[in-house]
């Protein structure tokens, strides 16, 4: 019998804990914690994400500073804004909502975010530090997955973990976190020769692919822990993950649902990173 690892209740519990900590921080240091969120253009999905981030800030007592820039914003204008936020003492975290409009160079813009304010954890410094198992701000989605595993006391030491996907925002940092937690990690991607064989060896299987119901029941080892990061529209128009949940669930010891699994954890971990960034600043 499988057990669900649900993101919503865990996320709510962590947000309460963060709100307590933020309150204490404000009393002790007599200042707000500030998160600057920069959105360029009118992409509807990005607008929803930014709105949810602003709402989460309100919930935990973090001051959000949302900057809505028109789609035709120039590279220079964007970079001037990021530089001014970088220098602003009232700003603890800076987040540029991706993707940026095609005419903008996101790499060079993101480089202007100081490591200590990079609450998305995407910068070369934070990723490099993660790779070296050093203290850093960790990308929110994989960090949320680690909290989910910890919430069920799932031990990772010596376990075989397989991560399908190697993006800089999910798969790669996920693999590093699992490695840092003493799992034996295999990273799979679109060029992997025998994906099914690799997946069948996984005690912990993380799917971060972006293909609806791609991981089938016959790719899962009996009793595996399955974490589904994917958020897709299925053929029926409904939200679904990268794992064929209905057919796969009975082979798992634990599995995350979509929706209601990893998704709710991501913004909560952004709040956690913002609080952490504020604590680390002098
Ligand atoms: P990317 O498209 O950046 O990466 C997808 C990865 O999957 C790539 O590494 C790619 O390999 C690999 N892949 C693609 N096809 C195959 C295949 N046939 N076999 C094996 N590997 C394959 O996606 P993201 O990492 O950004 O996102 C992954 C999923 O997670 C998406 O559904 C996204 O919506 C979701 N997501 C959810 C979040 C949440 O909060 N829950 C947050 C972020 C993402 P290659 O490198 O070779 O191309």
């Amino acid at each position: 019998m499988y057990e669900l690892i649900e993101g919503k209740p865990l996320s709510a519990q962590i947000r309460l804990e963060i709100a307590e900590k933020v309150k204490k921080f404000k009393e002790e240091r007599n200042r707000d914690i500030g998160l600057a969120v920069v959105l360029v253009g009118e992409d509807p999905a990005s607008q929803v994400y930014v709105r949810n981030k602003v709402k989460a800030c309100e919930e935990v007592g973090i001051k959000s500073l949302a900057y809505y820039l028109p789609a035709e914003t120039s590279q220079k204008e964007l970079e001037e804004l990021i530089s001014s936020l970088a220098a602003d003492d009232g700003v603890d975290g800076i987040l540029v909502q991706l993707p940026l409009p095609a005419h903008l160079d996101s790499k060079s813009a993101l480089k202007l975010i100081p490591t200590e304010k990079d609450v998305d954890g995407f910068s070369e410094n934070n990723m490099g530090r993660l790779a070296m198992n050093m203290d850093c701000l960790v990308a929110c989605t994989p960090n949320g997955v680690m909290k989910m595993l910890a919430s069920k006391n799932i031990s990772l030491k010596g376990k075989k973990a397989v991560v399908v996907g190697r993006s800089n925002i999910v798969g790669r940092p996920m693999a590093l976190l699992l490695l840092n937690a003493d799992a034996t990690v295999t990273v799979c991607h679109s060029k992997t020769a025998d994906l099914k064989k690799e997946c069948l060896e996984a005690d912990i299987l993380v799917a971060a692919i972006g293909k609806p119901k791609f991981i089938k029941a016959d790719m899962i080892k009996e009793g595996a822990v399955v974490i589904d990061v994917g958020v897709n529209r299925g053929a029926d128009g409904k939200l679904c993950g990268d794992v064929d949940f209905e057919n796969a669930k009975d082979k798992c010891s634990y599995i995350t649902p979509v929706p209601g699994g990893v998704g709710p954890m991501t913004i909560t971990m952004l709040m956690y990173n913002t609080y952490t960034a504020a604590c680390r600043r002098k």
Side-chain angles (χ1 to χ4, degrees), residues 141 164-167 169-171 188-192 195 208-211 214 229-232 242 262-263 266:
T141 301
V164 189
R166 57 174 166 181
S167 73
I169 64 169
V170 189
C188 299
H189 46 78
S190 66
K191 310 295 184 294
T192 296
L195 183 65
I209 310 159
K211 296 205 159 138
F214 184 79
V229 180
V231 181
N232 313 292
D242 288 344
V262 176
T266 298

Side-chain angles (χ1 to χ4, degrees), residues 11 14-15 18 22 33-37 49-50 52-57 60 62 64 92-97 117-122 137-141 143-144 147 263-278:
S11 169
I14 296 174
R15 282 191 196 192
I18 297 172
V22 169
I33 295 176
L35 172 64
V37 183
Y49 292 138
V50 167
N52 287 340
K53 287 168 187 174
V54 169
K55 241 171 67 189
C57 282
V60 301
I62 289 175
S64 66
D92 296 285
I94 305 171
L95 181 152
V96 177
Q97 187 63 46
K117 293 190 181 187
D118 167 37
V119 283
D120 257 339
F122 294 164
L137 292 167
V138 181
C140 299
T141 301
N143 209 13
K147 291 274 180 202
M265 295 297 292
T266 298
I267 294 183
T268 296
M269 297 318 291
L270 174 67
M271 299 300 110
Y272 175 82
N273 276 356
T274 307
Y275 167 74
T276 304

Side-chain angles (χ1 to χ4, degrees), residues 247-263:
N247 294 310
K249 63 183 191 307
D250 290 317
K251 291 191 82 177
C252 307
S253 54
Y254 292 92
I255 185 167
T256 62
V258 178
V262 176

